[in-house]
Amino acid sequence: MLSEKDLTYPEALRILEQEESKRDLTNIERYTLEYLRKFSKISDPAKAREAVERLVKELDIPETIAVQLVNVKPSDVSEVRVFLATLNKVFTEEELKKIIEILSSTE
């Protein structure tokens, strides 16, 4: 392993689809590919990564949590709070709405 990076669902989906075109996938890779096709809410990996970067830069959210937010793409402030509960930071209502706005921009 050369490096480790948290991937959004669309990024992982793209990688697995590329691998599928080159070779037979293992069982776990096929199951993962099916899961990603079913549950990925964003089609463009670049938009997903951009949303992660905006959450990290504009709201100081750790990348791991930003990736989770992008993957689940909550549409309600109360759902967003669940992801942020482990952080030692209190987010204002305005910041929570900004998170929803950033996630909505991936459509």
Side-chain angles (χ1 to χ4, degrees):
M1 179 181 344
L2 298 175
S3 66
E4 185 175 311
K5 180 179 179 179
D6 292 320
L7 296 176
T8 63
Y9 285 177
E11 291 170 319
L13 178 60
R14 183 193 66 221
I15 291 167
L16 282 174
E17 286 177 338
Q18 289 172 347
E19 286 300 308
E20 182 183 40
S21 69
K22 297 177 194 173
R23 63 177 174 85
D24 289 334
L25 298 179
T26 65
N27 283 341
I28 190 108
E29 289 170 329
R30 270 187 279 127
Y31 292 136
T32 303
L33 181 59
E34 290 173 24
Y35 177 90
L36 293 170
R37 284 181 174 151
K38 185 173 183 178
F39 291 106
S40 186
K41 296 180 179 183
I42 302 169
S43 58
D44 184 357
K47 284 187 178 185
R49 180 51 52 183
E50 180 185 331
V52 169
E53 290 171 2
R54 285 186 66 197
L55 291 169
V56 169
K57 183 178 179 184
E58 296 175 24
L59 294 154
D60 197 30
I61 295 173
E63 184 175 358
T64 302
I65 293 176
V67 167
Q68 291 174 10
L69 283 164
V70 169
N71 286 343
V72 175
K73 201 176 170 186
S75 58
D76 183 79
V77 169
S78 61
E79 293 172 344
V80 171
R81 281 191 177 105
V82 172
F83 290 91
L84 304 176
T86 60
L87 301 178
N88 292 330
K89 178 181 176 183
V90 177
F91 289 84
T92 66
E93 197 69 24
E94 184 177 297
E95 289 172 318
L96 295 171
K97 288 179 182 176
K98 175 80 172 183
I99 292 169
I100 298 290
E101 176 188 314
I102 290 170
L103 296 174
S104 296
S105 72
T106 61
E107 295 173 355

